[in-house]
Amino acid sequence: MKRALIPGTFDPITTGHLDIISRASQLVDEVVVGVAASPNKNPLFSLEERVALAQESTKHLPNVLVTSFDSLLVDFAASIDAEILIKGLRAITDFEYEFQMTALNYQLNKMIETIFIMSPPQFMYLSSSIVREIASLHGTLDGFVTPCVKAALEAKFAS
Ligand code: PNS
């Protein structure tokens, strides 16, 4: 039974994340989407909201489940018996940060392997922060997020 963990802040989950999650779900028996508390990032959505939006957005994927964590990533991965971390890699700008995190996580726990899935060109530019900015300026969110995330973003910026 191969279980992979896809970690992130998911503030909120985007169609770029979903592309990675759904491709990862074809490669392993079970994917756990780990929503990090990330209090230092001052998220727009609460942890509970981010988990609920990720759950709703992945409900069509039978071997994907969503949960939150507020510990070290490698400790959380070990606690759920996930030996694989899967990350999405968009452009060269992601590389330096991910390179550092991968080396650090490997140093912390050598039993856990990090694997990258490259984002396809149509999602290279997409990020949660871009989506939040579009929503804050009342731009169109179609194609960037699922309908439930769109509704949640519109509600946040309704005033
Ligand atoms: O979607 P993000 O914000 O780029 O995800 C970053 C995340 C959550 C994967 C990263 O911050 C993380 O692993 N947080 C958990 C705490 C931890 O283990 N940090 C790295 C070692 S200091």
Side-chain angles (χ1 to χ4, degrees):
M1 164 88 172
K2 284 265 174 238
R3 179 178 290 133
L5 170 62
I6 302 189
T9 303
F10 301 107
D11 185 36
I13 192 164
T14 68
T15 45
H17 291 130
L18 287 170
D19 173 73
I20 303 295
I21 293 165
S22 103
R23 287 160 64 196
S25 75
Q26 306 287 309
L27 301 175
V28 294
D29 299 303
E30 189 175 274
V31 168
V32 176
V33 175
V35 182
S38 300
N40 53 329
K41 295 197 173 173
N42 207 7
L44 173 67
F45 290 100
S46 71
L47 186 54
E48 294 70 27
E49 288 173 324
R50 285 179 279 138
V51 168
L53 291 171
Q55 271 166 346
E56 179 66 21
S57 301
T58 57
K59 67 179 184 194
H60 59 292
L61 298 169
N63 62 336
V64 173
L65 62 97
V66 181
T67 187
S68 62
F69 73 102
D70 62 0
S71 56
L72 262 186
L73 179 57
V74 288
D75 290 348
F76 175 62
S79 77
I80 60 164
D81 289 325
E83 290 175 358
I84 307 169
L85 293 177
I86 297 183
K87 300 277 201 89
L89 203 55
R90 286 167 303 187
I92 200 80
T93 43
D94 278 344
F95 182 78
E96 199 172 337
Y97 172 76
E98 295 298 349
F99 182 76
Q100 184 187 11
M101 280 299 127
T102 301
L104 181 72
N105 287 331
Y106 184 70
Q107 203 56 38
L108 291 170
N109 187 335
K110 294 191 173 50
M111 301 299 292
I112 298 174
E113 198 66 70
T114 303
I115 293 175
F116 291 95
I117 295 180
M118 293 288 293
S119 292
Q122 70 266 35
F123 297 129
M124 285 281 176
Y125 60 89
L126 191 55
S127 67
S128 296
S129 59
I130 287 284
V131 159
R132 291 195 304 273
E133 184 163 346
I134 294 170
S136 74
L137 299 169
H138 307 287
T140 179
L141 293 162
D142 295 331
F144 300 147
V145 293
T146 56
C148 68
V149 175
K150 182 179 176 207
L153 280 164
E154 285 171 353
K156 282 275 178 203
F157 294 106
S159 57

